[in-house]
mmCIF file with all atom_site columns, all heavy atoms in Angstrom:
data_model
loop_
_atom_site.group_PDB
_atom_site.id
_atom_site.type_symbol
_atom_site.label_atom_id
_atom_site.label_alt_id
_atom_site.label_comp_id
_atom_site.label_asym_id
_atom_site.label_entity_id
_atom_site.label_seq_id
_atom_site.pdbx_PDB_ins_code
_atom_site.Cartn_x
_atom_site.Cartn_y
_atom_site.Cartn_z
_atom_site.occupancy
_atom_site.B_iso_or_equiv
_atom_site.pdbx_formal_charge
_atom_site.auth_seq_id
_atom_site.auth_comp_id
_atom_site.auth_asym_id
_atom_site.auth_atom_id
_atom_site.pdbx_PDB_model_num
ATOM 1   N N   . LEU A 1 1  ? -127.153 59.785 151.412 1.00 0.00 ? 1  LEU A N   1
ATOM 2   C CA  . LEU A 1 1  ? -128.667 59.813 151.480 1.00 0.00 ? 1  LEU A CA  1
ATOM 3   C C   . LEU A 1 1  ? -129.080 58.358 151.426 1.00 0.00 ? 1  LEU A C   1
ATOM 4   O O   . LEU A 1 1  ? -128.712 57.674 150.493 1.00 0.00 ? 1  LEU A O   1
ATOM 5   C CB  . LEU A 1 1  ? -129.273 60.576 150.286 1.00 0.00 ? 1  LEU A CB  1
ATOM 6   C CG  . LEU A 1 1  ? -130.756 60.504 150.273 1.00 0.00 ? 1  LEU A CG  1
ATOM 7   C CD1 . LEU A 1 1  ? -131.393 61.154 151.477 1.00 0.00 ? 1  LEU A CD1 1
ATOM 8   C CD2 . LEU A 1 1  ? -131.265 61.234 149.023 1.00 0.00 ? 1  LEU A CD2 1
ATOM 9   N N   . ILE A 1 2  ? -129.766 57.908 152.477 1.00 0.00 ? 2  ILE A N   1
ATOM 10  C CA  . ILE A 1 2  ? -130.189 56.508 152.527 1.00 0.00 ? 2  ILE A CA  1
ATOM 11  C C   . ILE A 1 2  ? -131.641 56.514 152.065 1.00 0.00 ? 2  ILE A C   1
ATOM 12  O O   . ILE A 1 2  ? -132.541 57.195 152.562 1.00 0.00 ? 2  ILE A O   1
ATOM 13  C CB  . ILE A 1 2  ? -130.110 55.990 153.954 1.00 0.00 ? 2  ILE A CB  1
ATOM 14  C CG1 . ILE A 1 2  ? -128.767 56.226 154.584 1.00 0.00 ? 2  ILE A CG1 1
ATOM 15  C CG2 . ILE A 1 2  ? -130.508 54.520 154.064 1.00 0.00 ? 2  ILE A CG2 1
ATOM 16  C CD1 . ILE A 1 2  ? -127.621 55.647 153.888 1.00 0.00 ? 2  ILE A CD1 1
ATOM 17  N N   . ARG A 1 3  ? -131.931 55.647 151.113 1.00 0.00 ? 3  ARG A N   1
ATOM 18  C CA  . ARG A 1 3  ? -133.228 55.371 150.508 1.00 0.00 ? 3  ARG A CA  1
ATOM 19  C C   . ARG A 1 3  ? -133.356 53.900 150.345 1.00 0.00 ? 3  ARG A C   1
ATOM 20  O O   . ARG A 1 3  ? -132.415 53.213 149.997 1.00 0.00 ? 3  ARG A O   1
ATOM 21  C CB  . ARG A 1 3  ? -133.438 56.087 149.182 1.00 0.00 ? 3  ARG A CB  1
ATOM 22  C CG  . ARG A 1 3  ? -133.535 57.552 149.266 1.00 0.00 ? 3  ARG A CG  1
ATOM 23  C CD  . ARG A 1 3  ? -133.731 58.126 147.903 1.00 0.00 ? 3  ARG A CD  1
ATOM 24  N NE  . ARG A 1 3  ? -133.896 59.560 147.984 1.00 0.00 ? 3  ARG A NE  1
ATOM 25  C CZ  . ARG A 1 3  ? -133.749 60.377 146.909 1.00 0.00 ? 3  ARG A CZ  1
ATOM 26  N NH1 . ARG A 1 3  ? -133.407 59.870 145.741 1.00 0.00 ? 3  ARG A NH1 1
ATOM 27  N NH2 . ARG A 1 3  ? -133.913 61.667 147.088 1.00 0.00 ? 3  ARG A NH2 1
ATOM 28  N N   . PHE A 1 4  ? -134.577 53.395 150.408 1.00 0.00 ? 4  PHE A N   1
ATOM 29  C CA  . PHE A 1 4  ? -134.806 51.989 150.211 1.00 0.00 ? 4  PHE A CA  1
ATOM 30  C C   . PHE A 1 4  ? -135.586 51.834 148.820 1.00 0.00 ? 4  PHE A C   1
ATOM 31  O O   . PHE A 1 4  ? -136.457 52.634 148.536 1.00 0.00 ? 4  PHE A O   1
ATOM 32  C CB  . PHE A 1 4  ? -135.643 51.373 151.350 1.00 0.00 ? 4  PHE A CB  1
ATOM 33  C CG  . PHE A 1 4  ? -134.912 51.407 152.664 1.00 0.00 ? 4  PHE A CG  1
ATOM 34  C CD1 . PHE A 1 4  ? -135.268 52.361 153.608 1.00 0.00 ? 4  PHE A CD1 1
ATOM 35  C CD2 . PHE A 1 4  ? -133.858 50.576 152.918 1.00 0.00 ? 4  PHE A CD2 1
ATOM 36  C CE1 . PHE A 1 4  ? -134.575 52.450 154.862 1.00 0.00 ? 4  PHE A CE1 1
ATOM 37  C CE2 . PHE A 1 4  ? -133.237 50.631 154.123 1.00 0.00 ? 4  PHE A CE2 1
ATOM 38  C CZ  . PHE A 1 4  ? -133.584 51.546 155.067 1.00 0.00 ? 4  PHE A CZ  1
ATOM 39  N N   . ALA A 1 5  ? -135.180 50.788 148.140 1.00 0.00 ? 5  ALA A N   1
ATOM 40  C CA  . ALA A 1 5  ? -135.765 50.539 146.831 1.00 0.00 ? 5  ALA A CA  1
ATOM 41  C C   . ALA A 1 5  ? -137.259 50.215 146.939 1.00 0.00 ? 5  ALA A C   1
ATOM 42  O O   . ALA A 1 5  ? -137.822 49.774 147.931 1.00 0.00 ? 5  ALA A O   1
ATOM 43  C CB  . ALA A 1 5  ? -135.028 49.358 146.158 1.00 0.00 ? 5  ALA A CB  1
ATOM 44  N N   . GLU A 1 6  ? -137.939 50.462 145.807 1.00 0.00 ? 6  GLU A N   1
ATOM 45  C CA  . GLU A 1 6  ? -139.355 50.159 145.748 1.00 0.00 ? 6  GLU A CA  1
ATOM 46  C C   . GLU A 1 6  ? -139.538 48.651 146.014 1.00 0.00 ? 6  GLU A C   1
ATOM 47  O O   . GLU A 1 6  ? -138.755 47.827 145.545 1.00 0.00 ? 6  GLU A O   1
ATOM 48  C CB  . GLU A 1 6  ? -139.885 50.479 144.379 1.00 0.00 ? 6  GLU A CB  1
ATOM 49  C CG  . GLU A 1 6  ? -141.422 50.504 144.312 1.00 0.00 ? 6  GLU A CG  1
ATOM 50  C CD  . GLU A 1 6  ? -141.916 51.081 142.989 1.00 0.00 ? 6  GLU A CD  1
ATOM 51  O OE1 . GLU A 1 6  ? -141.345 52.006 142.532 1.00 0.00 ? 6  GLU A OE1 1
ATOM 52  O OE2 . GLU A 1 6  ? -142.894 50.539 142.514 1.00 0.00 ? 6  GLU A OE2 1
ATOM 53  N N   . GLY A 1 7  ? -140.530 48.315 146.858 1.00 0.00 ? 7  GLY A N   1
ATOM 54  C CA  . GLY A 1 7  ? -140.747 46.935 147.225 1.00 0.00 ? 7  GLY A CA  1
ATOM 55  C C   . GLY A 1 7  ? -140.152 46.577 148.561 1.00 0.00 ? 7  GLY A C   1
ATOM 56  O O   . GLY A 1 7  ? -140.430 45.560 149.161 1.00 0.00 ? 7  GLY A O   1
ATOM 57  N N   . HIS A 1 8  ? -139.127 47.405 148.989 1.00 0.00 ? 8  HIS A N   1
ATOM 58  C CA  . HIS A 1 8  ? -138.491 47.170 150.335 1.00 0.00 ? 8  HIS A CA  1
ATOM 59  C C   . HIS A 1 8  ? -139.507 47.451 151.392 1.00 0.00 ? 8  HIS A C   1
ATOM 60  O O   . HIS A 1 8  ? -140.298 48.349 151.292 1.00 0.00 ? 8  HIS A O   1
ATOM 61  C CB  . HIS A 1 8  ? -137.267 48.039 150.391 1.00 0.00 ? 8  HIS A CB  1
ATOM 62  C CG  . HIS A 1 8  ? -136.448 47.720 151.651 1.00 0.00 ? 8  HIS A CG  1
ATOM 63  N ND1 . HIS A 1 8  ? -136.759 48.158 152.900 1.00 0.00 ? 8  HIS A ND1 1
ATOM 64  C CD2 . HIS A 1 8  ? -135.312 47.010 151.725 1.00 0.00 ? 8  HIS A CD2 1
ATOM 65  C CE1 . HIS A 1 8  ? -135.839 47.779 153.753 1.00 0.00 ? 8  HIS A CE1 1
ATOM 66  N NE2 . HIS A 1 8  ? -134.924 47.034 153.100 1.00 0.00 ? 8  HIS A NE2 1
ATOM 67  N N   . GLU A 1 9  ? -139.439 46.786 152.501 1.00 0.00 ? 9  GLU A N   1
ATOM 68  C CA  . GLU A 1 9  ? -140.305 46.951 153.683 1.00 0.00 ? 9  GLU A CA  1
ATOM 69  C C   . GLU A 1 9  ? -140.376 48.424 154.080 1.00 0.00 ? 9  GLU A C   1
ATOM 70  O O   . GLU A 1 9  ? -141.373 48.926 154.520 1.00 0.00 ? 9  GLU A O   1
ATOM 71  C CB  . GLU A 1 9  ? -139.831 46.102 154.791 1.00 0.00 ? 9  GLU A CB  1
ATOM 72  C CG  . GLU A 1 9  ? -140.520 46.289 156.062 1.00 0.00 ? 9  GLU A CG  1
ATOM 73  C CD  . GLU A 1 9  ? -139.941 45.435 157.204 1.00 0.00 ? 9  GLU A CD  1
ATOM 74  O OE1 . GLU A 1 9  ? -138.857 44.820 157.029 1.00 0.00 ? 9  GLU A OE1 1
ATOM 75  O OE2 . GLU A 1 9  ? -140.571 45.415 158.266 1.00 0.00 ? 9  GLU A OE2 1
ATOM 76  N N   . PHE A 1 10 ? -139.236 49.159 153.981 1.00 0.00 ? 10 PHE A N   1
ATOM 77  C CA  . PHE A 1 10 ? -139.163 50.556 154.449 1.00 0.00 ? 10 PHE A CA  1
ATOM 78  C C   . PHE A 1 10 ? -139.034 51.525 153.298 1.00 0.00 ? 10 PHE A C   1
ATOM 79  O O   . PHE A 1 10 ? -138.554 52.653 153.511 1.00 0.00 ? 10 PHE A O   1
ATOM 80  C CB  . PHE A 1 10 ? -137.979 50.710 155.416 1.00 0.00 ? 10 PHE A CB  1
ATOM 81  C CG  . PHE A 1 10 ? -138.100 49.840 156.629 1.00 0.00 ? 10 PHE A CG  1
ATOM 82  C CD1 . PHE A 1 10 ? -137.181 48.844 156.942 1.00 0.00 ? 10 PHE A CD1 1
ATOM 83  C CD2 . PHE A 1 10 ? -139.226 49.905 157.524 1.00 0.00 ? 10 PHE A CD2 1
ATOM 84  C CE1 . PHE A 1 10 ? -137.279 48.031 158.057 1.00 0.00 ? 10 PHE A CE1 1
ATOM 85  C CE2 . PHE A 1 10 ? -139.337 49.142 158.589 1.00 0.00 ? 10 PHE A CE2 1
ATOM 86  C CZ  . PHE A 1 10 ? -138.370 48.180 158.892 1.00 0.00 ? 10 PHE A CZ  1
ATOM 87  N N   . HIS A 1 11 ? -139.493 51.161 152.122 1.00 0.00 ? 11 HIS A N   1
ATOM 88  C CA  . HIS A 1 11 ? -139.531 52.049 150.950 1.00 0.00 ? 11 HIS A CA  1
ATOM 89  C C   . HIS A 1 11 ? -140.249 53.349 151.396 1.00 0.00 ? 11 HIS A C   1
ATOM 90  O O   . HIS A 1 11 ? -141.343 53.302 151.924 1.00 0.00 ? 11 HIS A O   1
ATOM 91  C CB  . HIS A 1 11 ? -140.180 51.483 149.756 1.00 0.00 ? 11 HIS A CB  1
ATOM 92  C CG  . HIS A 1 11 ? -140.314 52.387 148.630 1.00 0.00 ? 11 HIS A CG  1
ATOM 93  N ND1 . HIS A 1 11 ? -139.247 52.819 147.877 1.00 0.00 ? 11 HIS A ND1 1
ATOM 94  C CD2 . HIS A 1 11 ? -141.351 53.046 148.050 1.00 0.00 ? 11 HIS A CD2 1
ATOM 95  C CE1 . HIS A 1 11 ? -139.600 53.664 146.917 1.00 0.00 ? 11 HIS A CE1 1
ATOM 96  N NE2 . HIS A 1 11 ? -140.931 53.785 147.054 1.00 0.00 ? 11 HIS A NE2 1
ATOM 97  N N   . GLY A 1 12 ? -139.645 54.525 151.151 1.00 0.00 ? 12 GLY A N   1
ATOM 98  C CA  . GLY A 1 12 ? -140.223 55.767 151.447 1.00 0.00 ? 12 GLY A CA  1
ATOM 99  C C   . GLY A 1 12 ? -139.510 56.457 152.615 1.00 0.00 ? 12 GLY A C   1
ATOM 100 O O   . GLY A 1 12 ? -139.500 57.676 152.706 1.00 0.00 ? 12 GLY A O   1
ATOM 101 N N   . ALA A 1 13 ? -138.860 55.640 153.489 1.00 0.00 ? 13 ALA A N   1
ATOM 102 C CA  . ALA A 1 13 ? -138.094 56.241 154.541 1.00 0.00 ? 13 ALA A CA  1
ATOM 103 C C   . ALA A 1 13 ? -136.748 56.678 153.939 1.00 0.00 ? 13 ALA A C   1
ATOM 104 O O   . ALA A 1 13 ? -136.146 56.025 153.154 1.00 0.00 ? 13 ALA A O   1
ATOM 105 C CB  . ALA A 1 13 ? -137.843 55.179 155.623 1.00 0.00 ? 13 ALA A CB  1
ATOM 106 N N   . GLU A 1 14 ? -136.312 57.873 154.419 1.00 0.00 ? 14 GLU A N   1
ATOM 107 C CA  . GLU A 1 14 ? -135.033 58.431 153.996 1.00 0.00 ? 14 GLU A CA  1
ATOM 108 C C   . GLU A 1 14 ? -134.271 59.016 155.190 1.00 0.00 ? 14 GLU A C   1
ATOM 109 O O   . GLU A 1 14 ? -134.923 59.497 156.155 1.00 0.00 ? 14 GLU A O   1
ATOM 110 C CB  . GLU A 1 14 ? -135.283 59.563 152.964 1.00 0.00 ? 14 GLU A CB  1
ATOM 111 C CG  . GLU A 1 14 ? -135.849 59.142 151.688 1.00 0.00 ? 14 GLU A CG  1
ATOM 112 C CD  . GLU A 1 14 ? -136.033 60.305 150.700 1.00 0.00 ? 14 GLU A CD  1
ATOM 113 O OE1 . GLU A 1 14 ? -135.674 61.437 151.032 1.00 0.00 ? 14 GLU A OE1 1
ATOM 114 O OE2 . GLU A 1 14 ? -136.552 60.073 149.636 1.00 0.00 ? 14 GLU A OE2 1
ATOM 115 N N   . ALA A 1 15 ? -132.983 58.954 155.123 1.00 0.00 ? 15 ALA A N   1
ATOM 116 C CA  . ALA A 1 15 ? -132.163 59.571 156.137 1.00 0.00 ? 15 ALA A CA  1
ATOM 117 C C   . ALA A 1 15 ? -130.939 60.116 155.515 1.00 0.00 ? 15 ALA A C   1
ATOM 118 O O   . ALA A 1 15 ? -130.441 59.535 154.485 1.00 0.00 ? 15 ALA A O   1
ATOM 119 C CB  . ALA A 1 15 ? -131.736 58.521 157.165 1.00 0.00 ? 15 ALA A CB  1
ATOM 120 N N   . ARG A 1 16 ? -130.359 61.230 155.975 1.00 0.00 ? 16 ARG A N   1
ATOM 121 C CA  . ARG A 1 16 ? -129.134 61.731 155.535 1.00 0.00 ? 16 ARG A CA  1
ATOM 122 C C   . ARG A 1 16 ? -128.101 61.706 156.717 1.00 0.00 ? 16 ARG A C   1
ATOM 123 O O   . ARG A 1 16 ? -128.474 62.101 157.819 1.00 0.00 ? 16 ARG A O   1
ATOM 124 C CB  . ARG A 1 16 ? -129.264 63.183 155.031 1.00 0.00 ? 16 ARG A CB  1
ATOM 125 C CG  . ARG A 1 16 ? -127.974 63.781 154.502 1.00 0.00 ? 16 ARG A CG  1
ATOM 126 C CD  . ARG A 1 16 ? -128.183 65.062 153.725 1.00 0.00 ? 16 ARG A CD  1
ATOM 127 N NE  . ARG A 1 16 ? -128.996 64.926 152.508 1.00 0.00 ? 16 ARG A NE  1
ATOM 128 C CZ  . ARG A 1 16 ? -128.560 64.371 151.365 1.00 0.00 ? 16 ARG A CZ  1
ATOM 129 N NH1 . ARG A 1 16 ? -127.391 63.966 151.191 1.00 0.00 ? 16 ARG A NH1 1
ATOM 130 N NH2 . ARG A 1 16 ? -129.417 64.392 150.333 1.00 0.00 ? 16 ARG A NH2 1
ATOM 131 N N   . LEU A 1 17 ? -126.987 61.135 156.405 1.00 0.00 ? 17 LEU A N   1
ATOM 132 C CA  . LEU A 1 17 ? -125.972 61.005 157.493 1.00 0.00 ? 17 LEU A CA  1
ATOM 133 C C   . LEU A 1 17 ? -124.612 61.511 156.962 1.00 0.00 ? 17 LEU A C   1
ATOM 134 O O   . LEU A 1 17 ? -124.313 61.477 155.790 1.00 0.00 ? 17 LEU A O   1
ATOM 135 C CB  . LEU A 1 17 ? -125.771 59.509 157.822 1.00 0.00 ? 17 LEU A CB  1
ATOM 136 C CG  . LEU A 1 17 ? -126.998 58.898 158.540 1.00 0.00 ? 17 LEU A CG  1
ATOM 137 C CD1 . LEU A 1 17 ? -127.722 57.962 157.582 1.00 0.00 ? 17 LEU A CD1 1
ATOM 138 C CD2 . LEU A 1 17 ? -126.560 58.161 159.775 1.00 0.00 ? 17 LEU A CD2 1
ATOM 139 N N   . ARG A 1 18 ? -123.829 61.975 157.933 1.00 0.00 ? 18 ARG A N   1
ATOM 140 C CA  . ARG A 1 18 ? -122.372 62.362 157.639 1.00 0.00 ? 18 ARG A CA  1
ATOM 141 C C   . ARG A 1 18 ? -121.602 61.091 157.476 1.00 0.00 ? 18 ARG A C   1
ATOM 142 O O   . ARG A 1 18 ? -121.864 60.098 158.128 1.00 0.00 ? 18 ARG A O   1
ATOM 143 C CB  . ARG A 1 18 ? -121.800 63.162 158.784 1.00 0.00 ? 18 ARG A CB  1
ATOM 144 C CG  . ARG A 1 18 ? -122.206 64.562 158.919 1.00 0.00 ? 18 ARG A CG  1
ATOM 145 C CD  . ARG A 1 18 ? -121.507 65.292 160.034 1.00 0.00 ? 18 ARG A CD  1
ATOM 146 N NE  . ARG A 1 18 ? -121.697 64.754 161.376 1.00 0.00 ? 18 ARG A NE  1
ATOM 147 C CZ  . ARG A 1 18 ? -120.799 64.031 162.026 1.00 0.00 ? 18 ARG A CZ  1
ATOM 148 N NH1 . ARG A 1 18 ? -119.614 63.762 161.494 1.00 0.00 ? 18 ARG A NH1 1
ATOM 149 N NH2 . ARG A 1 18 ? -121.055 63.510 163.207 1.00 0.00 ? 18 ARG A NH2 1
ATOM 150 N N   . GLY A 1 19 ? -120.561 61.162 156.695 1.00 0.00 ? 19 GLY A N   1
ATOM 151 C CA  . GLY A 1 19 ? -119.620 60.103 156.574 1.00 0.00 ? 19 GLY A CA  1
ATOM 152 C C   . GLY A 1 19 ? -118.671 60.035 157.833 1.00 0.00 ? 19 GLY A C   1
ATOM 153 O O   . GLY A 1 19 ? -118.808 60.930 158.678 1.00 0.00 ? 19 GLY A O   1
ATOM 154 N N   . MET A 1 20 ? -117.816 59.096 157.933 1.00 0.00 ? 20 MET A N   1
ATOM 155 C CA  . MET A 1 20 ? -116.885 58.973 159.040 1.00 0.00 ? 20 MET A CA  1
ATOM 156 C C   . MET A 1 20 ? -115.531 59.465 158.528 1.00 0.00 ? 20 MET A C   1
ATOM 157 O O   . MET A 1 20 ? -115.155 59.326 157.441 1.00 0.00 ? 20 MET A O   1
ATOM 158 C CB  . MET A 1 20 ? -116.725 57.507 159.421 1.00 0.00 ? 20 MET A CB  1
ATOM 159 C CG  . MET A 1 20 ? -117.846 56.852 160.065 1.00 0.00 ? 20 MET A CG  1
ATOM 160 S SD  . MET A 1 20 ? -117.437 55.196 160.600 1.00 0.00 ? 20 MET A SD  1
ATOM 161 C CE  . MET A 1 20 ? -119.055 54.510 160.821 1.00 0.00 ? 20 MET A CE  1
ATOM 162 N N   . ASN A 1 21 ? -114.820 60.102 159.497 1.00 0.00 ? 21 ASN A N   1
ATOM 163 C CA  . ASN A 1 21 ? -113.465 60.372 159.169 1.00 0.00 ? 21 ASN A CA  1
ATOM 164 C C   . ASN A 1 21 ? -112.601 59.124 159.386 1.00 0.00 ? 21 ASN A C   1
ATOM 165 O O   . ASN A 1 21 ? -113.195 58.062 159.909 1.00 0.00 ? 21 ASN A O   1
ATOM 166 C CB  . ASN A 1 21 ? -112.903 61.501 160.004 1.00 0.00 ? 21 ASN A CB  1
ATOM 167 C CG  . ASN A 1 21 ? -112.888 61.274 161.504 1.00 0.00 ? 21 ASN A CG  1
ATOM 168 O OD1 . ASN A 1 21 ? -112.573 60.194 161.963 1.00 0.00 ? 21 ASN A OD1 1
ATOM 169 N ND2 . ASN A 1 21 ? -113.200 62.295 162.288 1.00 0.00 ? 21 ASN A ND2 1
ATOM 170 N N   . LEU A 1 22 ? -111.358 59.059 159.017 1.00 0.00 ? 22 LEU A N   1
ATOM 171 C CA  . LEU A 1 22 ? -110.542 57.891 159.083 1.00 0.00 ? 22 LEU A CA  1
ATOM 172 C C   . LEU A 1 22 ? -110.476 57.345 160.493 1.00 0.00 ? 22 LEU A C   1
ATOM 173 O O   . LEU A 1 22 ? -110.560 56.105 160.740 1.00 0.00 ? 22 LEU A O   1
ATOM 174 C CB  . LEU A 1 22 ? -109.190 58.091 158.488 1.00 0.00 ? 22 LEU A CB  1
ATOM 175 C CG  . LEU A 1 22 ? -108.259 56.896 158.452 1.00 0.00 ? 22 LEU A CG  1
ATOM 176 C CD1 . LEU A 1 22 ? -108.975 55.782 157.614 1.00 0.00 ? 22 LEU A CD1 1
ATOM 177 C CD2 . LEU A 1 22 ? -106.888 57.217 157.881 1.00 0.00 ? 22 LEU A CD2 1
ATOM 178 N N   . GLY A 1 23 ? -110.323 58.180 161.488 1.00 0.00 ? 23 GLY A N   1
ATOM 179 C CA  . GLY A 1 23 ? -110.176 57.782 162.881 1.00 0.00 ? 23 GLY A CA  1
ATOM 180 C C   . GLY A 1 23 ? -111.510 57.061 163.318 1.00 0.00 ? 23 GLY A C   1
ATOM 181 O O   . GLY A 1 23 ? -111.414 56.012 163.946 1.00 0.00 ? 23 GLY A O   1
ATOM 182 N N   . GLU A 1 24 ? -112.639 57.618 162.993 1.00 0.00 ? 24 GLU A N   1
ATOM 183 C CA  . GLU A 1 24 ? -113.960 56.998 163.344 1.00 0.00 ? 24 GLU A CA  1
ATOM 184 C C   . GLU A 1 24 ? -114.090 55.644 162.694 1.00 0.00 ? 24 GLU A C   1
ATOM 185 O O   . GLU A 1 24 ? -114.527 54.686 163.341 1.00 0.00 ? 24 GLU A O   1
ATOM 186 C CB  . GLU A 1 24 ? -115.108 57.892 162.968 1.00 0.00 ? 24 GLU A CB  1
ATOM 187 C CG  . GLU A 1 24 ? -115.163 59.156 163.793 1.00 0.00 ? 24 GLU A CG  1
ATOM 188 C CD  . GLU A 1 24 ? -116.176 60.163 163.185 1.00 0.00 ? 24 GLU A CD  1
ATOM 189 O OE1 . GLU A 1 24 ? -116.310 60.247 161.908 1.00 0.00 ? 24 GLU A OE1 1
ATOM 190 O OE2 . GLU A 1 24 ? -116.821 60.835 163.966 1.00 0.00 ? 24 GLU A OE2 1
ATOM 191 N N   . TYR A 1 25 ? -113.685 55.585 161.404 1.00 0.00 ? 25 TYR A N   1
ATOM 192 C CA  . TYR A 1 25 ? -113.808 54.324 160.662 1.00 0.00 ? 25 TYR A CA  1
ATOM 193 C C   . TYR A 1 25 ? -112.926 53.284 161.279 1.00 0.00 ? 25 TYR A C   1
ATOM 194 O O   . TYR A 1 25 ? -113.388 52.145 161.474 1.00 0.00 ? 25 TYR A O   1
ATOM 195 C CB  . TYR A 1 25 ? -113.423 54.590 159.190 1.00 0.00 ? 25 TYR A CB  1
ATOM 196 C CG  . TYR A 1 25 ? -113.443 53.347 158.365 1.00 0.00 ? 25 TYR A CG  1
ATOM 197 C CD1 . TYR A 1 25 ? -114.651 52.889 157.868 1.00 0.00 ? 25 TYR A CD1 1
ATOM 198 C CD2 . TYR A 1 25 ? -112.271 52.637 158.050 1.00 0.00 ? 25 TYR A CD2 1
ATOM 199 C CE1 . TYR A 1 25 ? -114.736 51.727 157.058 1.00 0.00 ? 25 TYR A CE1 1
ATOM 200 C CE2 . TYR A 1 25 ? -112.295 51.474 157.286 1.00 0.00 ? 25 TYR A CE2 1
ATOM 201 C CZ  . TYR A 1 25 ? -113.549 51.056 156.799 1.00 0.00 ? 25 TYR A CZ  1
ATOM 202 O OH  . TYR A 1 25 ? -113.548 49.849 156.076 1.00 0.00 ? 25 TYR A OH  1
ATOM 203 N N   . MET A 1 26 ? -111.653 53.644 161.585 1.00 0.00 ? 26 MET A N   1
ATOM 204 C CA  . MET A 1 26 ? -110.792 52.622 162.169 1.00 0.00 ? 26 MET A CA  1
ATOM 205 C C   . MET A 1 26 ? -111.261 52.179 163.549 1.00 0.00 ? 26 MET A C   1
ATOM 206 O O   . MET A 1 26 ? -111.176 50.996 163.852 1.00 0.00 ? 26 MET A O   1
ATOM 207 C CB  . MET A 1 26 ? -109.339 53.260 162.281 1.00 0.00 ? 26 MET A CB  1
ATOM 208 C CG  . MET A 1 26 ? -108.734 53.426 160.890 1.00 0.00 ? 26 MET A CG  1
ATOM 209 S SD  . MET A 1 26 ? -107.101 54.123 160.958 1.00 0.00 ? 26 MET A SD  1
ATOM 210 C CE  . MET A 1 26 ? -106.177 52.754 161.666 1.00 0.00 ? 26 MET A CE  1
ATOM 211 N N   . GLU A 1 27 ? -111.851 53.061 164.348 1.00 0.00 ? 27 GLU A N   1
ATOM 212 C CA  . GLU A 1 27 ? -112.428 52.722 165.633 1.00 0.00 ? 27 GLU A CA  1
ATOM 213 C C   . GLU A 1 27 ? -113.634 51.816 165.446 1.00 0.00 ? 27 GLU A C   1
ATOM 214 O O   . GLU A 1 27 ? -113.763 50.787 166.084 1.00 0.00 ? 27 GLU A O   1
ATOM 215 C CB  . GLU A 1 27 ? -112.819 53.937 166.367 1.00 0.00 ? 27 GLU A CB  1
ATOM 216 C CG  . GLU A 1 27 ? -113.435 53.699 167.742 1.00 0.00 ? 27 GLU A CG  1
ATOM 217 C CD  . GLU A 1 27 ? -113.829 54.943 168.472 1.00 0.00 ? 27 GLU A CD  1
ATOM 218 O OE1 . GLU A 1 27 ? -113.116 55.959 168.341 1.00 0.00 ? 27 GLU A OE1 1
ATOM 219 O OE2 . GLU A 1 27 ? -114.897 54.967 169.060 1.00 0.00 ? 27 GLU A OE2 1
ATOM 220 N N   . ALA A 1 28 ? -114.489 52.153 164.473 1.00 0.00 ? 28 ALA A N   1
ATOM 221 C CA  . ALA A 1 28 ? -115.716 51.333 164.275 1.00 0.00 ? 28 ALA A CA  1
ATOM 222 C C   . ALA A 1 28 ? -115.376 49.953 163.762 1.00 0.00 ? 28 ALA A C   1
ATOM 223 O O   . ALA A 1 28 ? -116.076 48.968 164.122 1.00 0.00 ? 28 ALA A O   1
ATOM 224 C CB  . ALA A 1 28 ? -116.636 52.051 163.255 1.00 0.00 ? 28 ALA A CB  1
ATOM 225 N N   . THR A 1 29 ? -114.322 49.811 162.973 1.00 0.00 ? 29 THR A N   1
ATOM 226 C CA  . THR A 1 29 ? -114.020 48.510 162.439 1.00 0.00 ? 29 THR A CA  1
ATOM 227 C C   . THR A 1 29 ? -112.984 47.728 163.206 1.00 0.00 ? 29 THR A C   1
ATOM 228 O O   . THR A 1 29 ? -112.689 46.555 162.926 1.00 0.00 ? 29 THR A O   1
ATOM 229 C CB  . THR A 1 29 ? -113.432 48.649 160.974 1.00 0.00 ? 29 THR A CB  1
ATOM 230 O OG1 . THR A 1 29 ? -112.286 49.515 161.026 1.00 0.00 ? 29 THR A OG1 1
ATOM 231 C CG2 . THR A 1 29 ? -114.426 49.258 160.047 1.00 0.00 ? 29 THR A CG2 1
ATOM 232 N N   . GLY A 1 30 ? -112.493 48.338 164.321 1.00 0.00 ? 30 GLY A N   1
ATOM 233 C CA  . GLY A 1 30 ? -111.487 47.694 165.103 1.00 0.00 ? 30 GLY A CA  1
ATOM 234 C C   . GLY A 1 30 ? -110.082 47.802 164.593 1.00 0.00 ? 30 GLY A C   1
ATOM 235 O O   . GLY A 1 30 ? -109.163 47.151 165.143 1.00 0.00 ? 30 GLY A O   1
ATOM 236 N N   . GLN A 1 31 ? -109.847 48.503 163.563 1.00 0.00 ? 31 GLN A N   1
ATOM 237 C CA  . GLN A 1 31 ? -108.535 48.619 162.960 1.00 0.00 ? 31 GLN A CA  1
ATOM 238 C C   . GLN A 1 31 ? -107.580 49.505 163.807 1.00 0.00 ? 31 GLN A C   1
ATOM 239 O O   . GLN A 1 31 ? -106.382 49.638 163.457 1.00 0.00 ? 31 GLN A O   1
ATOM 240 C CB  . GLN A 1 31 ? -108.637 49.174 161.518 1.00 0.00 ? 31 GLN A CB  1
ATOM 241 C CG  . GLN A 1 31 ? -109.318 48.220 160.607 1.00 0.00 ? 31 GLN A CG  1
ATOM 242 C CD  . GLN A 1 31 ? -109.418 48.767 159.180 1.00 0.00 ? 31 GLN A CD  1
ATOM 243 O OE1 . GLN A 1 31 ? -108.500 49.427 158.735 1.00 0.00 ? 31 GLN A OE1 1
ATOM 244 N NE2 . GLN A 1 31 ? -110.498 48.429 158.568 1.00 0.00 ? 31 GLN A NE2 1
#
């Protein structure tokens, strides 16, 4: 769950995202 702290430009915006599996992580990082 992504939330921004009070005082942040986008405070109040929220998003929920799935994590990455190891293969996705290695691809995203170039590993």
Side-chain angles (χ1 to χ4, degrees):
L1 178 61
I2 308 302
R3 292 182 176 160
F4 297 103
E6 193 169 323
H8 188 281
E9 174 183 10
F10 300 119
H11 175 70
E14 294 182 1
R16 183 165 299 280
L17 293 107
R18 284 184 301 105
M20 291 185 197
N21 63 39
L22 183 59
E24 291 169 324
Y25 178 81
M26 291 179 70
E27 182 182 319
T29 60
Q31 294 180 36

